[in-house]
Amino acid sequence: MPDSLARDDRWTPPLSAGRVKPADVGENDVLPMLLGMARCIERSDEDGAFVAFVDLLDRIQSCGMDLRMKTQCFAQALLKNIDWKTGHGTLHGALFESHADRFPPMELAAGVAGTILEGLLERREDAVLVDVGIGNGGRVAGLLRSLAGRGTLPRSLTVVGIDPAEGALAEAEATLSSLASGLGLPFRFRAVPSRVESLTAAQWDGLRPIGSRIFVNAVFSLHHVGGNGTRDAVLRNLKSLKPEALVIAEPSADFESEDLLLRLAHAWRYYGACFSILDRMDISQEERTMARMFFGPEIVDVLGMPADLRGERFDTVPRWLSRLRDAGFRPHADLCRTAARPAEGILETTLGADHVGFGFEGQVMSAAICVR
């Protein structure tokens, strides 16, 4: 292929030129598609590169194994540019946002956590919500809309957003402030630009007087806190806020172990179950491909990263419950009266004194936990 093609501004990614039938894709067709991805990356079009990547994987499904592996290696290498330019884990974070609302173990655990939190916050006076890993505030916005729809908004609300991404915090503040104003809800937002495990003693002390009715929410965020001692210290610090409730949602697997063989065995079972769940879901091939993209970086993190750099440090539900008990938390009486909707079709639901679990073929995949 002439070098001029790679720099031809008139040349567009293959998505805009119509689909290529999988059977028609050969060695000479792949480079133009990779160049389309590269051009998106060069102009900082993260969404375009992502869509082109998904489309490329879809098109090579019927190709020979050698060409598929070669193409995937080059395409995944190109995508590393996105995380490098826009912040480590950006692509994975974007995939999480689109994936969590549809993949049953995540959807159900997060949904039950939200239902629990709604019941706790409704019509409260001077409620304070401490959200660990708030991101851009999308989940809290959904919570407020749901409460407003039922006419059960708290009388006033302060949201403390803890997140290392300052841009996301700014977006969360703008989104939630605007929404609260439209709903007539007295509202304050306090941004804490930090990882929760990096908060200093002075910062924790500064959070304690913020209100007497504190509720803590942590949806799929605490497993990123690394190291047993660090994780337990965070739970003790959260307990020191004397919250009326701590609501968390987490996957269930033992990725915290330093034993590679144990992590491999747990990863094989957990992600094997994830792939089986995907195969049973009524979704398009493109959505299935996107979901597998989400799991890929996680598996690399679990099995291929040094201990101090791993981010996907899942714990089992029994170990989470043990950690919470050791930190001084006890089951919350309101859990049993929440609408823990049974899983439909794919997952089984179990209700404990302090958690709602979701399983697949006898294996616990995720849980929503409520303690005080």
Side-chain angles (χ1 to χ4, degrees):
M1 171 175 292
D3 290 344
S4 58
L5 178 57
R7 295 295 168 189
D8 185 354
D9 290 336
R10 296 169 298 175
W11 189 78
T12 55
L15 280 175
S16 62
R19 295 188 60 79
V20 177
K21 295 179 181 179
D24 295 335
V25 174
E27 187 90 21
N28 293 333
D29 301 304
V30 170
L31 180 56
M33 291 188 278
L34 290 170
L35 287 169
M37 286 182 58
R39 284 176 57 80
C40 289
I41 291 167
E42 282 196 332
R43 61 174 179 262
S44 298
D45 180 6
E46 181 178 350
D47 290 339
F50 170 65
V51 170
F53 178 77
V54 172
D55 187 69
L56 175 57
L57 294 190
D58 187 42
R59 293 185 186 194
I60 63 172
Q61 290 300 311
S62 299
C63 296
M65 177 66 73
D66 288 346
L67 181 56
R68 286 206 312 273
M69 292 184 65
K70 176 181 176 181
T71 302
Q72 288 169 2
C73 285
F74 276 83
Q76 289 168 352
L78 283 173
L79 279 186
K80 289 292 184 182
N81 285 277
I82 293 175
D83 285 348
W84 180 256
K85 289 180 179 179
T86 60
H88 178 69
T90 298
L91 177 64
H92 186 261
L95 284 169
F96 175 81
E97 291 296 329
S98 64
H99 182 62
D101 290 337
R102 293 176 293 171
F103 189 59
M106 294 179 178
E107 175 193 12
L108 292 169
V112 167
T115 300
I116 294 169
L117 200 56
E118 284 183 30
L120 294 168
L121 288 176
E122 58 185 16
R123 298 190 176 94
R124 290 279 184 163
E125 295 281 354
D126 302 322
V128 176
L129 176 61
V130 177
D131 197 299
V132 180
I134 191 172
N136 62 11
R139 290 193 186 280
V140 179
L143 175 72
L144 295 183
R145 292 189 184 99
S146 181
L147 286 166
R150 300 204 319 269
T152 58
L153 279 168
R155 306 302 182 195
S156 63
L157 178 66
T158 297
V159 171
V160 179
I162 302 175
D163 201 288
E166 294 189 30
L169 283 172
E171 184 178 350
E173 181 173 11
T175 298
L176 296 176
S177 297
S178 175
L179 177 60
S181 177
L183 296 174
L185 171 67
F187 179 81
R188 289 189 302 156
F189 186 90
R190 179 171 173 179
V192 182
S194 172
R195 297 183 184 278
V196 67
E197 66 268 32
S198 300
L199 293 178
T200 65
Q203 286 175 302
W204 283 110
D205 288 342
L207 291 178
R208 292 186 185 101
I210 201 167
S212 59
R213 292 174 173 167
I214 296 176
F215 303 85
V216 181
N217 184 46
V219 175
F220 300 120
S221 57
L222 292 181
H223 68 263
H224 295 299
V225 176
N228 290 323
T230 304
R231 185 169 295 180
D232 293 336
V234 166
L235 294 178
R236 289 194 298 270
N237 279 320
L238 289 174
K239 179 61 179 174
S240 75
L241 299 179
K242 299 181 179 179
E244 294 201 11
L246 165 64
V247 180
I248 72 175
E250 283 292 338
S252 181
D254 188 359
F255 299 162
E256 180 66 5
S257 172
E258 299 305 316
D259 185 330
L260 176 61
L261 299 183
L262 184 60
R263 290 204 313 278
L264 173 58
H266 272 263
W268 183 261
R269 287 195 296 269
Y270 179 81
Y271 289 110
C274 288
F275 292 144
S276 295
I277 292 169
L278 279 174
D279 289 339
R280 297 190 186 186
M281 292 175 64
D282 184 18
I283 56 177
S284 68
Q285 181 58 44
E286 183 178 40
E287 290 173 310
R288 219 179 302 278
T289 300
M290 289 173 65
R292 290 194 174 108
M293 284 173 57
F294 171 80
F295 293 128
E298 285 197 354
I299 295 171
V300 171
D301 182 280
V302 170
L303 299 178
M305 297 296 287
D308 59 336
L309 296 180
R310 289 205 308 271
E312 305 303 330
R313 307 179 71 104
F314 297 3
D315 248 343
T316 62
V317 170
R319 191 176 295 153
W320 275 116
L321 297 176
S322 176
R323 290 184 190 280
L324 289 164
R325 285 193 296 270
D326 290 345
F329 288 99
R330 295 295 178 263
H332 199 294
D334 281 357
L335 176 65
C336 292
R337 70 175 180 82
T338 61
R341 50 193 171 130
E344 297 179 2
I346 299 177
L347 300 188
E348 310 103 24
T349 304
T350 58
L351 178 62
D354 42 18
H355 74 285
V356 181
F358 301 97
F360 176 75
E361 296 184 347
Q363 177 178 340
V364 178
M365 299 296 295
S366 62
I369 300 172
C370 182
V371 291
R372 63 180 311 161

